[in-house]
Amino acid sequence: MDADVTDSAGPPSDPDRPAEDKPQDRSRDRSREESGRPEDEPPGGTTSEGPSPEGPAPEDGAPQDDAPQEEGPAAPGTDEAAAETGEGDSTEGGPAESGPKAGSETGPKAAAGADGVQTWADRPKDGIVAARKSHWLRWTALAASFLVLVAAGVGWWMYKKLDGNITTDTSAAAELKAYEKERPAPVVMDAQNILLIGSDSRAGDNRKYGRDDGGSQRSDTTILLHLAADRKSATAVSIPRDLMVEIPSCSTGDDKKSREQFTQFNTAFELGGTACTIRTVERMTGIRIDHHMVVDFNGFKGMVDAVDGVEICLKEPIDDKDAHLELPAGRQTLNGEEALGYVRARKSLGNGSDTERMERQQQFLGALVNKMQSNGVLLNPTRLYPVLDAATKSLTTDPGLDSLRDLYDLVRGMRDVPTEQVQFLTVPRQPYRNNPNRDELVEPDAGDLFKQLREDKPVAVVPADELEEAERDKESGQDGKPDDAGSESPTPTPTYSGSSAADDLCKQ
């Protein structure tokens, strides 16, 4: 039998060796001779030229080694089973699909047999599905990784931006260290006392609010913020700028020292900056100042704008050219510029005293804190970011608060304080005996307040009219009888005139 070299599935024929001498052809001829079938008749009724992979079954006791196992014909007896299933029918000269059907007792198992192995026809389909799944999984993983990297990059950029906004006051820290021996010792370690200073410098962008005076700074607003050790209350005490106090000798900017003097409080900031102001407060109160912050006008405006304004109520319209403020009477929401004018206005509101201005500042700050807590600003990083960005741009702090992490820890400690426990008051004071345009402390009330804060004990604040009414009731209730001997009662909580962040400015 001649074989065409070009139709062979094997390697190219050797020209020195005839094609009919190939081992594969000789093995096929021998198999046909032994089976007794003519050359054109396929075994088992099929037209397949390839032998069954399982080899021939024994027939009439013929030895199994006579036919090669890999190229032998299909086993006899399988034609009937194949005919019943229809899988043994021949196509026009084409090969059978896979030989005898699985399940035939005498035939071999096909690729999709009883053991659940997939058929060859199914494998390409499953392979495509698996490839598609693998493809989507890879893209999903890449997309997730990309989003994580972008989020991390944005978060890092935001952190570095806010962190870089803060200015560190190293000179104040150095001077305070030089006077460490005269400073009061902390009494309650976990409590925090922070001095907030509102600078009224007219330098730079603040020039429009008044004359520059060479860029000198004055403490327009000073607040001692006490955070209780359990972080369940916060007390903000305003110190009048015209309060007469003892100011220690402080280092000035020209490497000189000022003399110790008894003068109004805001002179300390003008003479020796933050360090001199801190030392003055510590000498007056006996309270150790742990940290300080100096915020200028622009920082305050930015914070108000970042929370979309603060609502107030005015009994009368305001027209104050010095404060750049013109507002109608009634309920309204102030933006940053208007809010700054409102807390700075003095001559056109009330009796024109600094006392009323401080009360207005306290009420506005309480409304600002209330809005930040009620709107979830302190709990939402996306809403907190604009507030921190505005604050840090105009913020100068000591090295202990000069990072975003330090500030966030401080804010996080305050976010759970109930608004009714965020209290604002002014140190007990009265007109100075030698100059009614100045203030002096009222004793022993002021000393009692400082002692409560120093020892981290509670204080209570009520509106001024309620406090006056309570004092009148107390005086009218005195019957002249001595107290019962041996009766003991707990020390009452000192009560002062003030407000809380929970107060509604429109109901007063």
Side-chain angles (χ1 to χ4, degrees):
M1 165 178 148
D2 295 332
D4 190 354
V5 175
T6 59
D7 294 337
S8 172
S13 303
D14 188 349
D16 298 332
R17 183 178 182 178
E20 61 270 15
D21 292 338
K22 290 189 296 183
Q24 181 177 355
D25 295 340
R26 288 201 306 272
S27 173
R28 184 180 302 159
D29 294 343
R30 181 182 176 186
S31 173
R32 288 171 178 165
E33 290 175 1
E34 290 179 353
S35 62
R37 284 189 297 272
E39 184 176 305
D40 296 334
E41 181 182 352
T46 64
T47 60
S48 173
E49 293 184 3
S52 170
E54 296 290 334
E59 185 180 58
D60 298 333
Q64 299 181 11
D65 339 354
D66 292 344
Q69 295 182 357
E70 294 184 359
E71 310 233 347
T78 61
D79 298 2
E80 187 175 351
E84 291 177 0
T85 60
E87 294 193 7
D89 296 341
S90 62
T91 58
E92 296 180 0
E97 290 181 5
S98 58
K101 177 74 175 178
S104 173
E105 295 181 359
T106 58
K109 293 183 180 180
D115 56 355
V117 178
Q118 292 177 325
T119 63
W120 290 105
D122 291 336
R123 290 198 178 187
K125 179 179 178 182
D126 292 346
I128 292 174
V129 173
R132 288 177 178 174
K133 289 182 179 179
S134 176
H135 174 78
W136 283 109
L137 286 174
R138 286 197 300 269
W139 275 105
T140 302
L142 287 174
S145 301
F146 177 75
L147 291 176
V148 169
L149 289 175
V150 169
V154 171
W156 178 250
W157 176 84
M158 292 170 60
Y159 178 88
K160 295 298 291 182
K161 182 178 184 297
L162 293 177
D163 204 54
N165 285 345
I166 305 171
T167 302
T168 306
D169 187 359
T170 55
S171 60
E175 182 169 353
L176 291 174
K177 186 176 181 180
Y179 291 95
E180 180 62 35
K181 292 182 179 180
E182 71 177 36
R183 300 183 65 193
V187 177
V188 180
M189 301 303 296
D190 292 333
Q192 291 282 308
N193 296 294
I194 304 170
L195 195 65
L196 308 176
I197 302 174
S199 169
D200 67 347
S201 170
R202 302 312 200 268
D205 294 337
N206 296 332
R207 188 179 297 109
K208 64 180 179 180
Y209 299 112
R211 59 192 181 91
D212 186 9
D213 286 346
S216 63
Q217 297 188 78
R218 287 148 295 198
S219 54
D220 188 65
T221 301
T222 304
I223 297 175
L224 173 60
L225 176 63
H226 174 78
L227 301 179
D230 59 7
R231 297 301 188 267
K232 292 183 179 180
S233 66
T235 304
V237 182
S238 295
I239 302 175
R241 65 177 189 174
D242 295 331
L243 182 69
M244 299 300 293
V245 295
E246 288 283 350
I247 297 179
S249 173
C250 299
S251 300
T252 60
D254 52 1
D255 295 332
K256 296 181 180 179
K257 288 188 177 183
S258 63
R259 60 181 178 84
E260 185 173 336
Q261 53 190 300
F262 182 76
T263 184
Q264 64 187 62
F265 173 74
N266 68 342
T267 305
F269 193 77
E270 187 175 359
L271 287 175
T274 305
C276 191
T277 302
I278 291 175
R279 293 175 57 209
T280 301
V281 173
E282 289 183 339
R283 172 176 291 194
M284 176 178 66
T285 64
I287 298 173
R288 170 83 174 210
I289 303 300
D290 301 298
H291 301 289
H292 72 268
M293 298 182 187
V294 180
V295 184
D296 71 10
F297 294 154
N298 288 315
F300 176 80
K301 291 191 304 182
M303 291 179 65
V304 174
D305 286 334
V307 296
D308 299 325
V310 176
E311 186 179 70
I312 65 166
C313 283
L314 296 178
K315 296 179 180 179
E316 298 177 356
I318 300 176
D319 187 5
D320 192 322
K321 295 181 180 179
D322 292 338
H324 302 276
L325 184 66
E326 184 175 355
L327 296 173
R331 182 188 295 265
Q332 54 202 294
T333 299
L334 304 185
N335 61 28
E337 188 72 31
E338 294 168 338
L340 179 61
Y342 178 74
V343 298
R344 293 185 63 246
R346 176 176 179 179
K347 298 177 181 178
S348 60
L349 292 179
N351 59 12
S353 68
D354 193 46
T355 299
E356 284 196 359
R357 182 170 69 167
M358 285 187 298
E359 293 175 354
R360 192 164 58 251
Q361 291 173 351
Q362 294 166 6
Q363 292 171 353
F364 187 88
L365 290 175
L368 175 61
V369 171
N370 191 11
K371 183 165 186 180
M372 292 178 67
Q373 287 196 341
S374 61
N375 287 13
V377 175
L378 299 180
L379 300 176
N380 189 339
T382 58
R383 299 200 63 187
L384 181 60
Y385 173 80
V387 178
L388 291 177
D389 185 41
T392 54
K393 283 180 180 178
S394 304
L395 185 66
T396 301
T397 73
D398 62 280
L401 281 182
D402 65 345
S403 72
L404 183 62
R405 181 174 181 178
D406 295 328
L407 289 177
Y408 180 75
D409 289 342
L410 178 64
V411 173
R412 185 177 59 182
M414 293 185 61
R415 67 186 182 188
D416 294 329
V417 179
T419 53
E420 61 270 12
Q421 292 301 319
V422 180
Q423 304 177 120
F424 298 88
L425 69 153
T426 303
V427 294
R429 84 274 183 230
Q430 62 188 8
Y432 179 44
R433 65 180 68 92
N434 295 328
N435 185 350
N437 294 322
R438 301 289 182 264
D439 292 326
E440 65 180 3
L441 295 176
V442 174
E443 297 295 356
D445 295 349
D448 293 341
L449 172 63
F450 300 147
K451 183 175 184 294
Q452 293 291 112
L453 298 178
R454 187 166 55 246
E455 298 177 356
D456 196 30
K457 294 181 179 179
V459 297
V461 298
V462 296
D465 53 351
E466 293 184 14
L467 182 60
E468 293 174 0
E469 183 179 354
E471 291 178 350
R472 287 195 301 266
D473 293 343
K474 182 178 179 181
E475 292 176 358
S476 62
Q478 292 179 350
D479 54 7
K481 297 181 180 180
D483 295 337
D484 295 337
S487 63
E488 295 183 0
S489 60
T491 303
T493 300
T495 304
Y496 301 91
S497 173
S499 60
S500 75
D503 293 344
D504 188 349
L505 298 182
C506 292
K507 292 183 179 180
Q508 298 180 0

